[in-house]
Amino acid sequence: ALENVRVAAQALVSRYDPWRPRARLAALVDEARALLGTVGLQHRAGALAGLIVGRHRYAGDTETYDDPANANLIRVIERRRGLPVALGVLWLHAGRAAGWPVYGLDFPGHFLVAIGGETPPRALRPAVISRVVVDVFAGGMPLSNADMLALLRRTHGPQAEVHRPGSRGVVAGCCVAQHAARPACPGA
């Protein structure tokens, strides 16, 4: 029986190419760099969505959301499906490769990505469009302030804070928290 397990493990390892995720990420970055000349926040959001969702076919995993593979970046790259925060890492990487200011928003109950604005804003400013916020889990759909408020109210009620800038530590913490309990992560 142990010999069968060894043979099965060898077969699995021999089919796995550890360089494939790296090559896919490199291709994504190379194509993102070609977007450098894209002007306008809406156009940049659309260009990233076209690249990540359209060309590379990354999507939120609505069928097996709680699968640990959805928080493992290598598995997300291989499967092209994942949690909002794991997909967000790809959006952040591609946006920065294009030379754009992008940052994660640890939105209560979800993880969003903002494109634009040299520094993350401290609160929503309805009169100033200094960024475009996208829901990477929903295919990069741009969210208005009203959309974000509706998303917030669906999960946390009317008294919750709208959003805070998400640091790299918050992004990493959300990935780890997905393996334990979703409520532990403020921006999952």
Side-chain angles (χ1 to χ4, degrees):
L2 188 57
E3 180 62 21
N4 290 341
V5 170
R6 187 186 65 77
V7 170
Q10 278 183 329
L12 181 64
V13 169
S14 68
R15 287 188 305 229
Y16 177 71
D17 178 4
W19 295 103
R20 189 177 352 183
R22 178 177 271 178
R24 285 186 178 169
L25 186 58
L28 180 67
V29 166
D30 288 345
E31 292 176 46
R33 286 187 179 123
L35 302 175
L36 183 59
T38 306
V39 178
L41 297 177
Q42 292 288 347
H43 292 287
R44 288 177 176 182
L48 273 180
L51 174 63
I52 296 169
V53 178
R55 176 150 167 62
H56 288 270
R57 303 204 186 290
Y58 285 97
D61 188 349
T62 58
E63 295 173 15
T64 58
Y65 188 91
D66 292 319
D67 183 343
N70 286 327
N72 178 324
L73 192 56
I74 291 172
R75 295 288 293 135
V76 169
I77 292 169
E78 291 172 340
R79 297 168 61 236
R80 299 177 192 254
R81 296 183 302 161
L83 293 172
V85 68
L87 295 171
V89 168
L90 296 173
W91 279 71
L92 293 171
H93 196 61
R96 289 177 182 150
W100 303 333
V102 294
Y103 51 93
L105 299 176
D106 82 33
F107 192 86
H110 207 52
F111 187 82
L112 305 172
V113 169
I115 302 162
E118 292 302 318
T119 58
R122 294 272 175 219
L124 291 177
R125 298 180 199 162
V128 178
I129 300 176
S130 62
R131 74 204 176 288
V132 173
V133 176
V134 296
D135 185 345
V136 298
F137 194 75
M141 180 178 68
L143 299 175
S144 67
N145 289 348
D147 295 332
M148 288 188 285
L149 186 57
L151 177 61
L152 178 69
R153 288 182 175 165
R154 278 196 308 268
T155 58
H156 287 77
Q159 300 303 318
E161 184 179 337
V162 175
H163 75 270
R164 298 173 303 281
S167 69
R168 288 182 181 158
V170 168
V171 174
C174 288
C175 284
V176 171
Q178 286 298 320
H179 290 289
R182 230 177 304 148
C185 176

